[in-house]
Amino acid sequence: MDWTLTPETALADRNATTINPFWKSQVTTGEFTGLGGVTVHYAWCCPANAHTTVVISSGRIESLLKYKELIYDLWHNGFAVFIPDHRGQGLSGRMTSDPQHGFVHKFDDYVDDLLQFIDDIVMPHAPAPLTLLCHSMGGAIGTLTMLREPERFERAVLASPMFGVRPALPDWVAKGLINAGLTLNRLRRKDAGYFFGQTPYVAYPYALNKLTHSEVRYRLFRELYDEDKRIQLGGVTTEWLSAAQQAMDTIEAQAEKMTTPTLLFSADDDKIIDNDRQRSVAKRMPNLHLEVVAEAYHELFTEADEYRTPVLNKTLSFLQGGSILK
């Protein structure tokens, strides 16, 4: 089935004339207090006669504000949409003295927030079957959530899920660098510190980006982050990377227990994710269908139309109840 999606050629104009007015008139925003007193920001919208409810788990550094186009497309096609900003990023609360730190104590904190969001915000308003849509780090969070509560979602879509990251260093090297960084931060009496080579927020020009082939979507993303500095986030801290490694190891160790019907899109020219590990883990998950998106970069939901359109057509059809093709 072909769904009604926003084309790149119309995006700049539609963003101003349709999507932003839709956000003001149809989207409800709010906050709740998560574990440790951290404020978690969220947004949701529900069209009349919604046929499916989708919860979005976004990637690292992302804010729900970056998802306006996707949320509009989902809503316009009859999906009720709910999305939180993960703790430590977007409009949600920070946990270190530097608001640009990419930081979390452990990925279970993300999972706790997501489940609280579903219980307190989604379920009172959800009009239809509950499904999950994840990108990158959000794919790791979503997978951990499904491992903890296998019956929570009827089905899930994972786009470029973070089951491994690049560069794919030997395990002993990665753990050695992480332990060295953690020790250094303790000696400096810092609550957290950037991992080696990581920096505060940098707005790379389109020509140097490895996230998307879509110049207009990349430009709108950077303009958004330039206009609202609250959502800017720098590189990962050693503490975040340590938590991420533990999360990815857990997913790999428990892959066979992931039984939720799942459609996974692997971007073949991904410069962020270790696709070898990702696909190896994915192939051990029962009830999962893996699709490789040839030549695509990491951000499939903001990719050029030649990649985004077929991915979203399959995503929406699957979330609505379509079968996994074997």
Side-chain angles (χ1 to χ4, degrees), residues 4 28 55 57 70 107 110 125 143 149 158 163 177 188 201 212 229 252-253 257 263-264 283 308:
T4 303
T28 299
V55 176
S57 179
L70 178 62
F107 271 53
Y110 291 136
H125 301 98
T143 301
E149 296 196 10
L158 309 178
F163 296 167
L177 290 172
R188 292 174 174 175
Y201 177 79
T212 175
K229 292 181 170 50
E252 184 170 22
K257 298 179 182 178
L263 176 58
L264 187 153
K283 288 175 181 177
R308 181 182 189 264

Side-chain angles (χ1 to χ4, degrees), residues 15-200:
N15 198 55
T17 62
T18 305
I19 296 176
N20 282 332
F22 148 79
W23 192 266
K24 292 179 181 179
S25 65
Q26 298 293 335
V27 176
T28 299
T29 61
E31 295 178 339
F32 66 88
T33 302
L35 187 72
V38 177
T39 299
V40 179
H41 189 83
Y42 64 82
W44 65 272
C45 55
C46 181
N49 302 315
H51 53 73
T52 307
T53 296
V54 59
V55 176
I56 298 176
S57 179
S58 59
R60 203 193 77 80
I61 86 155
E62 292 186 325
S63 168
L64 55 85
L65 297 175
K66 186 185 171 192
Y67 279 70
K68 284 185 178 181
E69 180 192 6
L70 178 62
I71 293 170
Y72 171 79
D73 283 348
L74 287 164
W75 177 89
H76 191 65
N77 284 284
F79 290 80
V81 188
F82 294 78
I83 179 172
D85 269 349
H86 297 303
R87 61 174 52 222
Q89 62 185 53
L91 295 169
S92 290
R94 305 300 199 256
M95 292 154 285
T96 73
S97 56
D98 185 341
Q100 289 209 2
H101 273 164
F103 176 87
V104 75
H105 291 287
K106 57 185 183 300
F107 271 53
D108 279 347
D109 294 349
Y110 291 136
V111 175
D112 289 339
D113 287 342
L114 188 60
L115 290 171
Q116 183 178 346
F117 173 60
I118 292 169
D119 288 337
D120 295 351
I121 310 301
V122 180
M123 296 309 295
H125 301 98
L130 197 62
T131 65
L132 182 63
L133 180 60
C134 304
H135 167 63
S136 193
M137 179 188 81
I141 296 168
T143 301
L144 290 168
T145 304
M146 289 184 283
L147 286 169
R148 186 189 294 185
E149 296 196 10
E151 305 302 321
R152 178 68 71 153
F153 301 100
E154 288 203 356
R155 50 189 56 214
V157 172
L158 309 178
S160 309
M162 192 191 77
F163 296 167
V165 294
R166 300 179 65 179
L169 299 172
D171 191 55
W172 68 272
V173 174
K175 289 181 178 178
L177 290 172
I178 290 171
N179 288 334
L182 293 173
T183 300
L184 185 61
N185 289 339
R186 284 194 294 268
L187 291 173
R188 292 174 174 175
R189 297 184 179 180
K190 297 173 64 176
D191 51 12
Y194 288 115
F195 188 63
F196 304 108
Q198 299 288 293
T199 69

Side-chain angles (χ1 to χ4, degrees), residues 12 15-16 20 24 65-66 68 91 201 203 218-232:
N15 198 55
N20 282 332
K24 292 179 181 179
L65 297 175
K66 186 185 171 192
K68 284 185 178 181
L91 295 169
Y201 177 79
Y218 187 79
R219 175 175 56 80
L220 289 172
F221 153 53
R222 288 304 183 190
E223 287 177 356
L224 172 66
Y225 278 62
D226 287 343
E227 290 168 2
D228 194 341
K229 292 181 170 50
R230 295 175 300 166
I231 62 177
Q232 291 182 358

